[in-house]
Amino acid sequence: MCVQRCHDCGAASHPPRRYCPDCYSDDWEFEPIAGTATVYGYTHVHRPAREFETDAPVLSAIVTLDEGPRLMGRIADDPATVEVGSRVRLDASTLSAENVRLTFELLPD
Ligand SMILES: [Zn+2]
């Protein structure tokens, strides 16, 4: 997975855009992410969309990537152990052409 990195101001952004959202430069490139992030906020979803009913309850979270952009994904670990500020890592093994839902796992303290 990648974010866009602006060559003029250095900002990282996601989702991809034609122009940098900070300085409007069109001089950027895609940069691979480390996959580590911090939980910004989360909620428990007990009645998810029909295609995800078998996964309920789902811990849906907004995380701040170490590169800066915020993304929404789910956290696969025990919901009782997740809190704002928890460190997580993207589990890229769950991604495929059929499954683009981002799943994060807790990092040990
Ligand atoms: Zn910029």
Side-chain angles (χ1 to χ4, degrees):
M1 187 175 162
C2 294
V3 295
Q4 281 181 288
R5 177 73 66 187
C6 176
H7 286 172
D8 287 331
C9 74
S13 62
H14 185 79
R17 300 173 178 94
R18 179 71 178 94
Y19 298 100
C20 171
D22 287 3
C23 72
Y24 307 110
S25 169
D26 64 352
D27 184 14
W28 55 264
E29 67 180 341
F30 287 111
E31 173 185 287
I33 63 169
T36 48
T38 302
V39 174
Y40 179 75
Y42 64 91
T43 189
H44 300 269
V45 180
H46 293 276
R47 300 185 74 182
R50 184 169 300 153
E51 59 267 33
F52 306 128
E53 281 180 340
T54 57
D55 297 341
V58 174
L59 185 62
S60 183
I62 297 174
V63 302
T64 307
L65 295 173
D66 289 352
E67 291 79 5
R70 289 195 176 121
L71 304 174
M72 181 174 266
R74 57 181 283 184
I75 299 176
D77 293 276
D78 177 7
T81 61
V82 176
E83 55 189 40
V84 170
S86 294
R87 295 285 295 157
V88 293
R89 178 181 340 173
L90 178 65
D91 181 3
S93 68
T94 63
L95 297 173
S96 68
E98 294 79 32
N99 178 27
V100 294
R101 292 185 302 160
L102 301 177
T103 301
F104 293 88
E105 56 191 14
L106 281 173
L107 288 173
D109 291 333

